[in-house]
């Protein structure tokens, strides 16, 4: 099998497993307990926090460990919007992960917020000029993802941040897909809040992270014992936090070399598919995209049919966001780009990882060519797919 679905989840790195093991065994304590086992767990948690802070170039005290990237997005959007009394106007984009879109909808339905959406171009890029035109005196938050989970397009965060900074509006970015591939230095990005998810970069599932610049009040989403300095109640997942820190440190060490290698392989992969599959279209920006991400629509097929054919040939990939798997609705990301519903339903996404080899990428390209041809032969134009 060739695994080409790293945007959905990644295998756990050895560095992460080795780092977390002591906190699953001898140092298993609750970090809030005032005895030696609890204090050892607390020390591990704070060491993990310091390690992540170094990678992001931030103060450790401004980091909040969460249970997932989804929770981090919820805490960022709801927490900043409700914790800062500037107004009830929120700006995001129509391409965001459902965690951001659903949080914005929650604020609109239950708290009277007005939500406005940046409109992407055909490549999935949003405009700093449009953002400047939408910001108002009562705008309380702007949230735009760093890189899209379906099409891989990388947003011009620094340009967007200059607009928000000039207006004094907090700027949050969902960086879940960018981690391990793009720089997370928040000073260079210019953002005020950033979300991460451990299982997208080689840590286990069940751990996430939110950084919020210290001067911005953050209303908790979870209430209870007041852990994480009152910003996220619930006993901390110490092994997960330690694993996230170790995985991020390892990814940062190899990031430039791995990104360069995968960019070259992904470029060859897309060129082969576009050159040998009639009617194939790349979705997302051709160049401003994640190094290991390639997504296509194949007219005259069905995304699920292509996935089944690919799996028969040993290729594991997806039709888009894993969170939307099983839905009959076309991707909101692709329809936001202007694709017709029927074409959007033919989407297939390939996301490679640090361990992906040249032979695997070449094998995936051959399998795509064969799979699309097989489906088109079995279901000629005008015949409905089952």
């Amino acid at each position: 099998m060739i695994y080409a679905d790293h945007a959905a989840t990644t295998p756990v790195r050895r560095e992460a497993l080795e780092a977390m093991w002591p906190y699953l065994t001898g140092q298993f304590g609750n970090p809030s307990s005032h005895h030696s086992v609890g204090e050892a767990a607390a020390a591990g948690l704070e060491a993990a926090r310091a390690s992540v802070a170094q990678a992001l170039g931030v103060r450790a005290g401004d980091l909040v460990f969460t249970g997932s990237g989804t929770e981090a997005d919820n805490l960022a959007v709801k927490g900043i919007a409700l914790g800062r009394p500037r107004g009830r106007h929120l700006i995001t984009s129509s391409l965001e992960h459902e965690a951001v879109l659903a949080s914005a909808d929650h604020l609109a339905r239950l708290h009277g917020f007005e939500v406005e959406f940046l409109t992407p171009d055909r490549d999935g890029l949003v405009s700093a000029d449009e953002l400047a035109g939408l910001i108002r005196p009562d705008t309380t938050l702007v949230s735009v993802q760093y890189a899209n989970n379906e099409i891989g397009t990388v947003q011009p965060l620094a340009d967007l941040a200059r607009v928000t900074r000039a207006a004094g509006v907090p700027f949050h970015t969902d960086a879940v897909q960018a981690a391990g591939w793009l720089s997370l230095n928040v000073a260079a990005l210019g953002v005020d809040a950033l979300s991460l998810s451990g299982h997208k970069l080689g840590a286990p599932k069940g751990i996430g992270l939110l950084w919020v610049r210290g001067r911005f009040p953050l209303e908790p989403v979870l209430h209870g014992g007041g852990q994480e300095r009152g910003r996220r109640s619930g006993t901390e997942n110490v092994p997960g936090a330690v694993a996230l820190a170790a995985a991020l440190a390892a990814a940062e060490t190899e990031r430039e070399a791995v990104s360069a290698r995968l960019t070259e392989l992904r470029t060859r992969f897309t060129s082969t598919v576009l050159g040998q599959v009639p009617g194939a279209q790349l979705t997302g920006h051709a160049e401003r995209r994640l190094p290991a991400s390639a997504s296509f629509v194949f007219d005259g097929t069905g995304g699920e049919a292509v996935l089944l054919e690919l799996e028969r040939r040993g290729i594991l990939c997806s039709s888009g966001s894993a969170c939307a798997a099983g839905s009959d609705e076309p991707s909101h990301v692709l329809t936001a780009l202007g694709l017709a519903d029927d074409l959007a339903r033919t989407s297939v996404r390939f996301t490679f990882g640090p361990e992906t080899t040249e032979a695997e990428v070449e094998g995936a390209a051959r399998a795509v060519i064969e799979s699309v041809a097989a489906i088109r032969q079995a279901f000629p134009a005008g015949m409905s797919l089952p």
Side-chain angles (χ1 to χ4, degrees):
M1 288 288 183
I2 296 173
Y3 185 72
D5 201 18
H6 287 79
T9 196
T10 59
V12 177
R13 285 176 171 267
R14 176 175 292 277
E15 296 93 336
L17 284 170
E18 292 176 350
M20 72 187 294
W21 180 250
Y23 299 94
L24 293 168
T25 53
Q27 299 173 28
F28 60 86
N30 186 322
S32 295
S33 296
H34 296 294
H35 49 60
S36 59
V37 177
E39 289 169 356
L45 181 67
E46 295 314 309
R49 201 185 310 274
S51 176
V52 174
Q54 182 177 14
L56 273 58
V58 301
R59 293 192 317 129
D62 291 341
L63 296 173
V64 183
F65 285 110
T66 65
S68 63
T70 288
E71 186 191 335
D73 281 343
N74 272 256
L75 180 56
V77 175
K78 299 173 187 175
I80 295 174
L82 296 175
R84 191 168 189 266
R86 176 185 170 108
R88 294 186 180 273
H89 179 242
L90 188 150
I91 300 171
T92 186
S93 87
S94 53
L95 302 175
E96 300 301 305
H97 189 277
E98 290 291 355
V100 168
L101 295 178
S103 294
D105 179 67
H106 170 89
L107 291 172
R109 288 185 296 104
L110 273 66
H111 297 279
F113 276 74
E114 179 185 353
V115 182
E116 289 195 83
F117 297 91
L118 294 165
T119 304
D121 64 16
R122 293 281 299 187
D123 294 325
L125 290 173
V126 299
S127 163
D129 289 338
E130 184 188 10
L131 176 60
L134 291 180
I135 287 181
R136 308 184 324 208
D138 63 338
T139 303
T140 197
L141 176 68
V142 173
S143 181
V144 177
Q145 64 192 171
Y146 195 170
N148 186 264
N149 52 308
E150 294 190 34
I151 60 175
T153 295
V154 177
Q155 297 295 347
L157 288 193
D159 294 340
L160 301 173
R162 279 190 284 272
V163 174
T164 59
R165 193 180 309 115
V169 176
F171 182 21
H172 163 253
T173 190
D174 174 345
V176 164
Q177 294 294 336
W181 299 110
L182 306 174
S183 171
L184 299 178
N185 184 283
V186 299
L189 297 176
V191 299
D192 301 298
L194 180 145
S195 303
L196 295 178
S197 177
H199 78 103
K200 306 294 189 178
L201 55 88
K205 301 167 187 66
I207 186 68
L209 181 85
L210 175 65
W211 166 76
V212 177
R213 197 178 298 280
R215 68 176 182 269
F216 294 114
L218 189 67
E219 178 68 21
V221 173
L222 298 179
H223 301 88
Q227 289 88 348
E228 294 296 285
R229 300 189 179 185
R231 297 166 297 183
R232 195 272 186 184
S233 290
T235 302
E236 296 94 339
N237 177 359
V238 178
V242 170
L244 188 157
L248 180 59
E252 282 295 297
T253 298
E254 64 186 31
R255 176 170 55 81
E256 291 187 5
V258 169
S259 293
R261 184 178 73 85
L262 268 296
T263 296
E264 180 181 352
L265 291 179
R266 182 257 295 158
T267 300
R268 287 161 52 185
F269 175 73
T270 56
S271 296
T272 300
V273 171
L274 294 175
Q276 299 191 40
V277 178
Q281 297 180 45
L282 182 72
T283 57
H285 199 281
E287 297 176 356
R288 286 189 60 91
R289 67 187 305 125
L290 290 170
S293 177
S295 56
F296 306 90
V297 287
F298 300 108
D299 193 18
T301 68
E304 294 300 324
V306 175
L307 292 182
L308 290 172
E309 283 293 323
L310 285 168
E311 186 165 0
R312 287 200 321 116
R313 291 168 171 80
I315 312 299
L316 303 179
C317 54
S318 68
S319 58
S321 172
C323 298
S327 172
D328 291 332
E329 295 298 316
S331 161
H332 73 277
V333 172
L334 297 182
T335 55
L337 302 187
L339 273 67
D341 287 2
D342 286 347
L343 184 58
R345 289 190 177 95
T346 72
S347 173
V348 180
R349 178 189 70 179
F350 301 85
T351 46
F352 305 112
E355 303 301 320
T356 303
T357 66
E358 180 178 2
E360 287 175 328
V361 172
E362 291 175 350
R366 287 193 301 271
V368 172
I369 296 166
E370 295 169 0
S371 297
V372 174
I375 292 169
R376 286 175 172 168
Q377 183 176 6
F379 302 96
M383 181 181 293
S384 297
L385 286 164

